[in-house]
Amino acid sequence: MTEHLIEPAPNAPAKPEINPLLKLALELGPLVVFFFANSKGEAIVARFPALGELGGPLFVATALFMAATVIALAVSYALTRTLPIMPIVSGLVVVVFGTLTLWLQDEVFIKMKPTIVNGLFAAVLLGGLAFGKPLLGYVFDQAFKLDNEGWRKLTLRWGLFFVVLAVVNEVVWRNFSTDFWVAFKVWATMPITMIFMLTQIPLLKRHALEPIFDKKS
């Protein structure tokens, strides 16, 4: 049952396809909801007074973040009848730490969430490599096809990158304000990630099983 619920292995011939842009929107959408809910928390509570029971803007943002994460996973399942591995891991951590944040009214839990998620991703990717499983193929193989060596190298690089993100999150939330941390989480982490992705293009081209980036529409 589990093997049909979780997305198939990379390069699997019968793997359900989903538009890469839609997949990106489903994975990043909850983050955008989190940022705007935190920045517009007072306005949201004024319009929906019941949300004020949750606490300040960060707690309202946390609740909406949790809801958006669950919705994104539900939409992904409705489209493919499978659950993507990386977002479901992130989603489980969001729900657990978000619940702790709201229950204990302690923002530390939600601030630690990126550290836990990135650390967990790093452990999963690097641990998978130790057992000969380049798990990053589960995330990106709908966007491009690589040979096994390409997936291995890309998985190693992303595993190390997630370690860096975990460390950076710890430095930021422990030394700066909540608003700065939220802004950094959304508007700095994503550009850093995009820049990292761009630096991987030469590797992708060397190990591609079919042409990428230069496909004609």
Side-chain angles (χ1 to χ4, degrees):
M1 180 67 177
T2 302
E3 61 191 41
H4 298 296
L5 179 62
I6 301 299
E7 60 183 341
N11 299 330
K15 183 168 183 177
E17 296 290 331
I18 183 173
N19 185 289
L21 291 179
L22 177 57
K23 183 174 183 180
L24 185 64
L26 290 173
E27 294 180 3
L28 296 185
L31 266 182
V32 176
V33 169
F34 180 68
F35 173 79
F36 282 105
N38 181 75
S39 61
K40 303 294 184 181
E42 293 182 0
I44 293 174
V45 169
R47 187 172 183 84
F48 304 98
L51 292 177
E53 299 297 322
L54 296 172
L58 183 62
F59 297 102
V60 173
T62 298
L64 295 180
F65 186 27
M66 294 167 62
T69 298
V70 172
I71 290 171
L73 286 172
V75 171
S76 180
Y77 178 77
L79 292 173
T80 65
R81 293 301 171 186
T82 61
L83 291 171
I85 288 181
M86 301 297 268
I88 197 173
V89 170
S90 178
L92 287 173
V93 176
V94 166
V95 171
V96 171
F97 277 76
T99 300
L100 289 172
T101 299
L102 296 175
W103 182 32
L104 301 176
Q105 289 291 292
D106 189 342
E107 62 186 34
V108 167
F109 290 103
I110 200 64
K111 288 180 176 179
M112 288 180 62
K113 193 274 296 182
T115 301
I116 301 299
V117 169
N118 289 319
L120 186 58
F121 284 170
V124 168
L125 293 179
L126 298 178
L129 280 181
F131 289 95
K133 300 292 184 180
L135 299 177
L136 200 67
Y138 284 92
V139 181
F140 289 130
D141 81 322
Q142 291 181 12
F144 41 80
K145 309 293 183 183
L146 303 181
D147 58 30
N148 290 334
E149 181 65 12
W151 285 128
R152 189 191 68 79
K153 290 180 179 179
L154 195 63
T155 298
L156 174 62
R157 294 182 183 185
W158 272 96
L160 297 176
F161 180 67
F162 281 128
V163 171
V164 173
L165 288 182
V167 172
V168 169
N169 183 71
E170 282 296 292
V171 171
V172 172
W173 84 260
R174 291 180 184 275
N175 294 280
F176 297 92
S177 69
T178 295
D179 287 343
F180 182 89
W181 170 77
V182 171
F184 183 88
K185 175 179 169 64
V186 178
W187 303 117
T189 301
M190 191 50 57
I192 290 171
T193 302
M194 295 302 294
I195 291 171
F196 172 78
M197 291 175 67
L198 291 175
T199 65
Q200 306 311 304
I201 289 177
L203 182 149
L204 299 180
K205 289 186 174 181
R206 285 197 304 271
H207 294 277
L209 295 176
E210 58 186 39
I212 57 176
F213 306 120
D214 57 353
K215 294 180 180 178
K216 296 182 179 179
S217 54

